[in-house]
Amino acid sequence: MLTDWNMPLMDGLELLQHIRESERHLHVPVILITAEGDRTQVRHAITAGVSEFLIKPFTFASFQKKVRRVLKGAAPRPAAPGATVTQAKTIRVQT
């Protein structure tokens, strides 16, 4: 699933938390798209179990790489409680 961080009614983090709370959807990979680079927000998303991040702006090549990684199972799985920011890979791509 691809979702933006900033959306009306429910942000991407809230959506991610709902997905991870559902046993049926627990292992659905989630790529969070954001222009935010705030470490606190990144930590919250990692703790909630984000699979990957795409930081805006990004290239089509970086998008493809992230999607392929998630589909092949190479992306981080849902994080355990107390996960740290070192468990995520965040790549900034300038276009």
Side-chain angles (χ1 to χ4, degrees):
M1 173 179 288
L2 298 165
T3 184
D4 199 302
W5 192 295
N6 296 311
M7 302 182 296
L9 305 179
M10 177 186 298
D11 66 31
L13 180 59
E14 289 174 288
L15 176 61
L16 174 62
Q17 290 167 334
H18 285 290
I19 290 168
R20 295 298 181 240
E21 289 170 0
S22 165
E23 198 153 320
R24 182 176 178 190
H25 300 107
L26 182 64
H27 296 305
V28 171
V30 177
I31 299 174
L32 191 57
I33 302 170
T34 182
E36 308 291 332
D38 179 53
R39 288 186 183 270
T40 301
Q41 288 183 322
V42 170
R43 276 188 227 126
H44 288 304
I46 291 167
T47 301
V50 72
S51 302
E52 280 288 352
F53 288 95
L54 267 170
I55 307 289
K56 297 177 198 174
F58 55 87
T59 65
F60 184 68
S62 66
F63 171 79
Q64 281 183 310
K65 182 178 178 180
K66 298 282 184 158
V67 170
R68 285 185 180 136
R69 184 181 300 156
V70 168
L71 292 177
K72 288 181 181 179
R77 291 290 181 209
T84 64
V85 74
T86 59
Q87 292 174 303
K89 296 178 183 176
T90 303
I91 300 172
R92 284 188 187 269
V93 179
Q94 300 293 324
T95 57

